[in-house]
Amino acid sequence: MRFVRTLLPGLLLAPLLVGCTLTGPRYGAHVSTTLALRDANLGKVSVGEFRKDPHGKRDVDHVKARAMTVASAYGSYTTYLREAFASEFDHADLLDAGAHVRIDGVLLRNELGSEGGREYALIETDLTVTRDGAVVYRATKNARFDWDSAFLGDIAIPRAIANYQVGVQRLIAAYVADPAFVSALKPR
């Protein structure tokens, strides 16, 4: 009996010490971005490589919601971002792997965090558009989505995981709202 009393607290604390990982959902295209892309009269594009910043101080593929590690549904957040751009252009019928215009990116920041009673998703990328191998556009943009914090982790963690996608949608919308980005994608 003494053995059980000694072992039981350790067994109950083990999951807390090891930590857990949850996998976030796959990306879903946003209707307003789809419509904006369709209305812009763009040419077909391919979505190329998205990678980490080689000089980054933080690992952009390591995201936490409170103490919970949140894994990308695509294996990495660089792949998540690539798939998000591909999804948006695919939904607008503008995705073509053989297109002469290609979008590539570097994921610079990728965070779920909290400050001042609010929680947020912050994503920053450096995006490059090339036409037949020549750079025609390059810009760094970020997007931040904030929401009210919840005290209970059972509410806060799923909310953070769901709201991460909104941050990515806002990042893509920031590029789509940039006239220079749209101009780079117009057919020549």
Side-chain angles (χ1 to χ4, degrees):
M1 188 63 152
R2 181 176 173 188
F3 175 73
V4 171
R5 277 187 268 147
T6 305
L7 185 60
L8 187 58
L11 290 173
L12 293 175
L13 288 175
L16 297 174
L17 297 174
V18 173
C20 295
T21 299
L22 294 174
T23 300
R26 298 178 75 77
Y27 183 82
H30 195 276
V31 68
S32 64
T33 302
T34 300
L35 294 174
L37 288 169
R38 284 184 183 169
D39 292 344
N41 298 316
L42 305 177
K44 299 281 187 174
V45 302
S46 67
V47 177
E49 178 186 7
F50 279 72
R51 58 187 170 79
K52 297 179 187 184
D53 178 4
H55 306 294
K57 294 178 182 168
R58 296 180 69 175
D59 183 2
V60 293
D61 278 326
H62 185 77
V63 175
K64 284 189 165 270
R66 300 223 175 153
M68 188 74 61
T69 298
V70 182
S72 163
Y74 302 98
S76 72
Y77 281 97
T78 51
T79 303
Y80 182 99
L81 193 58
R82 184 206 176 281
E83 292 302 317
F85 272 91
S87 176
E88 295 291 0
F89 281 89
D90 188 35
H91 276 77
D93 296 323
L94 295 170
L95 188 64
D96 179 358
H100 296 281
V101 176
R102 177 176 154 151
I103 299 171
D104 295 283
V106 178
L107 183 55
L108 302 172
R109 290 181 72 185
N110 192 35
E111 302 171 16
L112 286 172
S114 63
E115 63 186 17
R118 308 264 306 154
E119 297 192 40
Y120 66 87
L122 175 63
I123 302 98
E124 182 176 25
T125 61
D126 182 36
L127 208 66
T128 304
V129 176
T130 56
R131 180 180 299 277
D132 296 319
V135 175
V136 293
Y137 173 87
R138 184 171 184 187
T140 299
K141 295 194 183 299
N142 67 56
R144 179 175 166 141
F145 179 62
D146 291 80
W147 61 93
D148 289 331
S149 183
F151 176 74
L152 295 175
D154 290 352
I155 296 169
I157 293 168
R159 187 181 294 168
I161 292 169
N163 285 334
Y164 176 82
Q165 175 177 256
V166 178
V168 174
Q169 289 170 337
R170 287 187 174 192
L171 175 71
I172 295 171
Y175 281 106
V176 173
D178 181 350
F181 178 72
V182 172
S183 177
L185 301 179
K186 293 262 186 192
R188 303 275 190 258

